[in-house]
């Protein structure tokens, strides 16, 4: 009951935020955004070759669960021997994450290894999923998980030396991203993977037409789950496996998920009182808002 109440409060807060939306596109002219036409963040692709499925991991956008699904499909017996549920998966599962040809570092490598370099055939037969989410919600999830709740390994690098101070973090992140390409690429790799715009992940602007982009929305999960299920069916994943996956993702949550937790609610209440911080985040993530058609918060 307590968890349900926390979840309700989180969604109530997020819904209140979403109700204040800018609908007039001319009001966004003041935002320039941050875009680089070169790779800024390392790519990371996970695959299930039998079903010609892959994903480019975008952290804090359903990445752990989707990688878990592909690992399960790629090595079912080993996976179920180690984990009781898809949500138990961790990125340190070396058998899956480091298996030869299962974790690749570019789209061209994906095509070279799994389609013998035949890009036309690859794009016809494979589905490469990229999951994105509202950039403000993604930031909240990342900051609460990595900086606000507890100290993790490489805490200072992850949190730019700001600890739990999100204002300090946002202004430092803004300065890094607006100080030029060299400044942007020299950030700590895991910080970039979790906090840089989604349009900087997966070498997006080069590969955008090769992805099936799904929008993860904690307030409308049923639609997201159905879209994912449709892709699995299209790729001939057996019905019993699709049903297992569907039940798992609807029933269990990854341990480090922040949705509905008390610390998240506490953070949200503080965060949305800082209009200057939100302004900076809109500037940082403006390309995400525009490219993926997310609505801007009205500040």
């Amino acid at each position: 009951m307590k968890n349900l109440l926390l979840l309700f409060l989180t969604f109530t807060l997020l819904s209140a935020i979403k109700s204040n939306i800018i609908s007039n596109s001319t009001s966004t002219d003041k935002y320039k955004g941050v875009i680089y036409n070169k790779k800024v963040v390392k790519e990371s692709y996970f695959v299930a070759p039998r079903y010609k499925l892959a994903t480019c991991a975008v952290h804090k956008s359903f990445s752990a669960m989707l990688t878990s699904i592909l690992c399960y499909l790629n090595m079912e017996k080993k996976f179920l021997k180690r984990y009781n549920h898809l949500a138990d998966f961790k990125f340190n599962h070396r058998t899956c994450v480091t298996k030869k040809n299962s974790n690749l570092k570019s789209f061209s490598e994906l095509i070279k290894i799994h389609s013998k370099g035949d890009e036309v055939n690859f794009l016809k037969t494979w589905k490469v999923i990229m999951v994105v989410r509202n950039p403000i919600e993604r930031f909240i999830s990342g900051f609460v998980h990595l900086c606000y709740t507890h100290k993790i390994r490489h805490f200072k690098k992850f949190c730019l030396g700001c600890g739990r101070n999100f204002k300090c973090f946002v202004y430092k992140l803004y300065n890094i991203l607006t100080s030029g390409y060299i400044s942007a690429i020299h950030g700590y790799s895991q910080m970039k993977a979790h906090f840089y715009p989604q349009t900087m992940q997966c070498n997006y602007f080069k590969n955008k037409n090769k992805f099936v982009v799904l929008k993860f929305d904690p307030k409308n999960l049923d639609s997201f789950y159905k879209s994912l299920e449709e892709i699995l069916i299209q790729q001939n994943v057996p019905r019993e496996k699709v049903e297992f996956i569907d039940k798992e993702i609807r029933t269990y949550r990854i341990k480090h998920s922040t949705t509905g937790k008390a610390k998240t609610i506490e953070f949200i209440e503080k965060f949305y009182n800082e209009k200057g911080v939100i302004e900076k985040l809109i500037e940082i993530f403006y390309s995400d808002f525009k490219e993926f058609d997310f609505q801007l918060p009205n500040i």
Side-chain angles (χ1 to χ4, degrees), residues 3 10 13 15 36 43 59 80 82-83 86 96 102 120 128 135-136 144 152 160 181 183 193 224 233 237 241 285 298:
N3 289 337
T10 301
L13 282 166
S15 296
Y36 293 106
E43 298 165 75
H59 288 284
L80 294 178
R82 181 182 178 108
Y83 300 120
L86 294 178
C96 172
S102 292
V120 174
V128 183
I136 299 293
V144 170
I152 59 168
L160 299 178
Y181 179 71
S183 171
F224 171 76
I233 292 170
V237 176
K241 294 187 191 303
F285 297 127
N298 183 6

Side-chain angles (χ1 to χ4, degrees), residues 31-207:
Y31 299 114
K32 297 178 182 178
V34 183
I35 297 177
Y36 293 106
N37 59 6
K38 301 177 184 178
K39 184 188 291 191
V40 178
V41 182
K42 292 179 180 178
E43 298 165 75
S44 186
Y45 296 88
F46 297 93
V47 300
R50 179 184 299 180
Y51 304 109
K52 293 182 169 56
L53 275 168
T55 184
C56 181
V58 179
H59 288 284
K60 307 314 297 180
S61 297
F62 199 70
S63 60
M65 186 64 89
L66 187 51
T67 304
S68 177
I69 291 169
L70 294 186
C71 285
Y72 159 72
L73 292 174
N74 195 20
M75 48 177 65
E76 180 181 354
K77 289 182 179 179
K78 289 183 179 179
F79 187 95
L80 294 178
K81 186 176 180 179
R82 181 182 178 108
Y83 300 120
N84 292 322
H85 300 287
L86 294 178
D88 296 336
F89 169 82
K90 294 180 176 62
F91 275 107
N92 63 3
H93 181 193
R94 298 185 65 82
T95 305
C96 172
V97 173
T98 63
K99 181 183 177 183
K100 185 178 180 181
N101 298 336
S102 292
N103 182 4
L104 305 173
K105 302 305 179 185
S106 71
F107 211 108
S108 58
E109 188 179 18
L110 193 60
I111 294 170
K112 179 181 178 181
I113 290 174
H114 292 289
S115 192
K116 298 181 180 179
D118 187 341
E119 181 173 339
V120 174
N121 181 64
F122 181 89
L123 295 177
K124 282 183 178 179
T125 57
W126 278 67
K127 292 282 192 299
V128 183
I129 302 168
M130 179 180 178
V131 178
V132 298
R133 72 187 294 186
N134 180 290
I136 299 293
E137 292 180 10
R138 177 173 174 258
F139 169 78
I140 291 171
S141 177
F143 194 84
V144 170
H145 170 213
L146 299 168
C147 303
Y148 191 75
T149 304
H150 56 270
K151 287 189 176 182
I152 59 168
R153 189 181 179 190
H154 303 307
F155 175 72
K156 286 187 177 180
K157 290 183 179 180
F158 260 117
C159 306
L160 299 178
C162 293
R164 300 172 80 242
N165 187 335
F166 64 88
K167 289 186 283 186
C168 165
F169 180 92
V170 169
Y171 281 91
K172 281 193 175 182
L173 181 63
Y174 178 83
N175 288 335
I176 289 169
L177 288 172
T178 57
S179 295
Y181 179 71
I182 299 301
S183 171
I185 63 172
H186 282 168
Y188 174 53
S189 61
Q190 285 300 311
M191 185 278 292
K192 294 193 297 181
H194 286 79
F195 292 109
Y196 276 24
Q198 291 159 109
T199 46
M200 290 186 187
Q201 314 292 329
C202 304
N203 207 358
Y204 175 76
F205 284 112
K206 178 180 179 181
N207 298 322

Side-chain angles (χ1 to χ4, degrees), residues 278-291:
I278 299 172
E279 185 94 24
K280 287 295 182 189
L281 284 175
I282 293 173
E283 186 83 27
I284 290 169
F285 297 127
Y286 186 62
S287 61
D288 283 1
F289 282 108
K290 296 294 287 184
E291 181 67 23

Side-chain angles (χ1 to χ4, degrees), residues 21-35:
I21 297 297
I22 295 173
S23 58
N24 185 349
S25 61
T26 60
S27 64
T28 68
D29 290 345
K30 62 181 177 179
Y31 299 114
K32 297 178 182 178
V34 183
I35 297 177

